[in-house]
Amino acid sequence: MFRSRLGRRRGTATALLAAASLMLALGGCGVSTVTPQDAREEGGSDDKAGAAARRVDCAKVKCIALTFDAGPGKDTPRLLDILKKEQVPATFFLLGSKHVDRYPDVVRRIAAEGHEVANHTWSHEILTDLDESQVREELSRTQDAIEKITGRKPTLMRPPQGRTDGTVSDVSEELGLAQILWSITAKDYSTTDTALIRQRVLEQAHRDGIILLHDIYDGTVPAVPGIIDELKLRGFTFVTVPELLAPGKAEPGTVYRPEKD
């Protein structure tokens, strides 16, 4: 996968088209999930590690997390300009091959500007199709590449297509990675219509939600200002995924997914 720019995008789109079956996939493999609300309650009020991540109290404030997969890409600097102007933090699940290794300065900037840098595997292989050593390679290679650039290994990962199982969870735990899924998607891999991407996100927006977008597709970054403006008007506060879980802390191997209202 991702042997060329066109092949990469087709491969990502094909993989993500199956995301509609995510609920069945998780249910069928026996992997349980934890909601942001549960994570906060389990963290309590005295969890120093979780409290350190807390800029706002999402138990009291209407929070939502903006996340971007499969970058960085050519449009990511423009996206970072938007986020900086709007003072909105985001979580970036980065691909290793032809992304992290191609745009190290952008990865460095993402971290420097206070966004959460996370792992989206090296080559976007579906992890549940791999054996344990291959899963470890997909995740650890990206961990090492990001650490080399930012000085810090990610603590969060998102499995491609949202596919996970016991083996993926075990390797994630070994590598210190919590698994982060989503509850809001614009399916921006299937359209370049900026207005439609914006509409889809706004129609699904809910408290404690995690928005999935991709900064590698042409229609996505132009949709972000309108999404931010409208959600702010609705009273939402944008947070990173660790902030959404605080004072709880994302536990390695655990799968986190919000419940829709």
Side-chain angles (χ1 to χ4, degrees):
M1 198 176 295
F2 307 119
R3 293 177 181 174
S4 67
R5 181 182 178 87
L6 179 59
R8 181 175 70 251
R9 294 195 173 192
R10 285 178 175 171
T12 305
T14 299
L16 290 168
L17 283 171
S21 62
L22 175 60
M23 300 289 188
L24 292 176
L26 287 170
C29 67
V31 176
S32 60
T33 63
V34 176
T35 68
Q37 180 181 3
D38 289 341
R40 291 196 298 266
E41 292 176 354
E42 291 171 5
S45 58
D46 298 322
D47 187 320
K48 294 182 179 179
R54 182 164 56 177
R55 179 174 51 89
V56 296
D57 186 349
C58 291
K60 300 177 180 179
V61 176
K62 190 164 69 170
C63 293
I64 197 164
L66 188 58
T67 73
F68 297 92
D69 281 14
K74 64 179 178 59
D75 295 327
T76 307
R78 178 183 174 195
L79 171 61
L80 290 170
D81 290 343
I82 294 168
L83 296 176
K84 186 174 184 179
K85 177 183 177 182
E86 298 294 337
Q87 296 185 310
V88 167
T91 302
F92 287 82
F93 293 89
L94 305 182
L95 274 177
S97 179
K98 300 182 181 179
H99 293 274
V100 169
D101 60 359
R102 183 173 289 177
Y103 300 99
D105 289 342
V106 179
V107 175
R108 197 172 292 110
R109 181 182 170 190
I110 291 170
E113 294 186 359
H115 304 291
E116 187 72 18
V117 180
N119 189 327
H120 195 44
T121 75
W122 185 258
S123 57
H124 208 271
E125 293 287 342
I126 305 305
L127 297 181
T128 52
D129 292 341
L130 306 180
D131 64 29
E132 182 178 325
S133 64
Q134 291 171 319
V135 173
R136 187 177 292 107
E137 173 73 8
E138 279 288 314
L139 293 173
S140 63
R141 191 173 179 186
T142 307
Q143 289 287 89
D144 292 344
I146 291 173
E147 182 184 30
K148 185 177 180 180
I149 295 168
T150 67
R152 176 178 177 269
K153 287 187 178 182
T155 59
L156 309 178
M157 80 88 157
R158 176 167 286 157
Q161 202 182 102
R163 296 277 178 172
T164 188
D165 58 17
T167 298
V168 176
S169 295
D170 288 345
V171 174
S172 297
E173 183 176 7
E174 172 192 323
L175 297 176
L177 290 165
Q179 303 177 75
I180 308 299
L181 304 185
W182 61 90
S183 58
I184 302 162
T185 176
K187 298 182 179 180
D188 52 350
Y189 51 82
S190 65
T191 180
T192 59
D193 187 334
T194 292
L196 180 59
I197 292 169
R198 176 181 180 274
Q199 176 186 334
R200 286 172 172 173
V201 170
L202 296 178
E203 285 177 347
Q204 298 173 65
H206 64 94
R207 184 172 187 164
D208 288 341
I210 297 178
I211 301 169
L212 167 61
L213 291 170
H214 301 79
D215 45 331
I216 60 170
Y217 297 123
D218 292 341
T220 302
V221 172
V224 171
I227 291 169
I228 291 173
D229 288 347
E230 178 59 28
L231 290 180
K232 283 183 175 180
L233 285 175
R234 295 183 188 181
F236 284 95
T237 296
F238 288 92
V239 294
T240 63
V241 169
E243 289 176 329
L244 187 66
L245 305 181
K249 183 181 178 182
E251 296 295 336
T254 301
V255 182
Y256 294 87
R257 181 181 63 197
E259 290 182 354
K260 294 185 178 181
D261 294 340

